[in-house]
Every structure is written in structure tokens, then in C-alpha cells.
Amino acid sequence: MGPRWKKSNVAMLVRTKVNGEWKEADVWEGSSLLYMLREHLGLPGSKNACEQGECGSCSVWLDGELVCACLVLAAQAHEAEVRTVESLGEGDSLHPVQEAFLEAGAVQCGFCTPGLIVAVADLLDQESNPPETTVREALSGNLCRCTGYEKILDAVRLAADRVRDTAKG
Ligand code: FES
Ligand code: FES
């Protein structure tokens, strides 16, 4: 069933499973998923840097696929499942990718960081020991203006080690 339209004719009710919980939001028909997450659902982790699909700072999973939330309409997430950077880590414990970014010094202004962390977590879910060319390709849609990328690559190597260690138990 599609999103329910409200009387105003420009608002609609979108129902989405976000980080494991069903949520509803009354959004304008042209609202992006990013806007819905940040402004309606109180999830500011996904950043709004370009709003044009060029920087990757708004990366989330929509039904398991990595997407730029600024390019997806909120309505496209109706009855779908979204995971954001807020779903990583548990309580006070950071996800291994988050820990690796901090330890490698890969965070400066931090604007690109949530999108990169989501993209790296997605990559390591698919390939636990990716070669550098694969890492560079996977992160080519994530722009960072501060770090020069070397520390980000260090963080990915460290994160890959950590994720493999976690998997071994
Ligand atoms: S804010 Fe979505 S790609 Fe830049
Ligand atoms: S740390 Fe500033 S944009 Fe990446």
C-alpha cells in the first residue's frame, strides 16, 4: 500500500522501519528520506552536505542497499526498512569501524564521517579483507575535504582487522 495522503494534498504519512522500529512521519510529498530522518525522526547522524548525491555524507541502507538518502524520496521508504549510522554500535560501545576511525585519526571536522562509516561497514559486510583498489572504489562516492584520505584508508585496514577478529570471537 502506498503512503497515505493527508487532506492538505501536499503531505503524506510515510511508515518506515528505521533501525528496527516502525516509525511514521507526516512529510511533504517532495521530502527526501534524509530530511525525514533528520527533521521528522530525530536522527541527525546522516549528514546533509551537498543534497545532490555527490558527497556520500548521507549514506544509509534502504532495504539493505547503500543509498544516498538525499536522493531518495521519503515516499520511496514507505513500508521499507532503513538503517542509519545510529544503528551501528550498541549503547556506549562503538562499532569496530567507528573505533577504527577514531584510533586512526581519520576524523577531523567529522562531516563526512557518518557516511564513510556506513560505507565501510557495508563494504566489510561483503568482503572482510578487501584489497586497496576495492576500498578506493567502494569509497569513491564519499568525499572528505579534510583528511587527504590516507588516514581513512588506515582506518579501513584497522577496521577490517577488527571486524575479522570480532567474527572469529
Ligand atoms: S548530502 Fe547526500 S550525497 Fe551529499
Ligand atoms: S573529516 Fe572533514 S570532510 Fe572529512
Side-chain angles (χ1 to χ4, degrees):
M1 190 172 58
R4 259 186 288 143
W5 292 88
K6 308 285 279 189
K7 280 194 213 115
S8 66
N9 202 32
V10 291
M12 57 189 175
L13 193 65
V14 173
R15 185 173 177 273
T16 302
K17 194 171 192 180
V18 182
N19 298 338
E21 278 182 49
W22 285 101
K23 305 273 185 189
E24 289 188 342
D26 247 329
V27 300
W28 169 62
E29 62 170 317
S31 289
S32 67
L33 172 59
L34 180 61
Y35 188 86
M36 180 174 90
L37 291 169
R38 290 177 57 85
E39 307 300 330
H40 291 266
L41 300 181
L43 293 167
S46 313
K47 298 295 178 230
N48 181 359
C50 75
E51 252 186 326
Q52 295 181 351
E54 288 178 2
C55 73
S57 63
C58 62
S59 301
V60 300
W61 289 276
L62 175 63
D63 285 337
E65 293 290 320
L66 203 58
V67 296
C68 289
C70 70
L71 290 185
V72 174
L73 287 172
Q76 290 172 264
H78 184 64
E79 299 294 344
E81 182 158 3
V82 171
R83 277 180 65 217
T84 71
V85 68
E86 284 93 346
S87 71
L88 300 174
E90 278 178 46
D92 290 340
S93 307
L94 295 178
H95 186 278
V97 177
Q98 292 170 315
E99 276 179 357
F101 268 68
L102 282 179
E103 281 179 38
V107 181
Q108 287 190 26
C109 82
F111 222 73
C112 66
T113 309
L116 274 162
I117 285 179
V118 167
V120 173
D122 186 73
L123 171 65
L124 297 181
D125 270 354
Q126 295 169 45
E127 193 165 350
S128 63
N129 194 14
E132 188 163 320
T133 47
T134 304
V135 174
R136 285 180 183 270
E137 195 176 327
L139 302 186
S140 60
N142 291 82
L143 303 186
C144 175
R145 291 172 197 271
C146 306
T147 63
Y149 297 100
E150 279 311 313
K151 290 191 171 178
I152 290 172
L153 293 172
D154 291 346
V156 177
R157 282 187 280 270
L158 187 57
D161 292 346
R162 293 277 165 81
V163 168
R164 283 197 304 276
D165 288 350
T166 308
K168 275 186 219 152

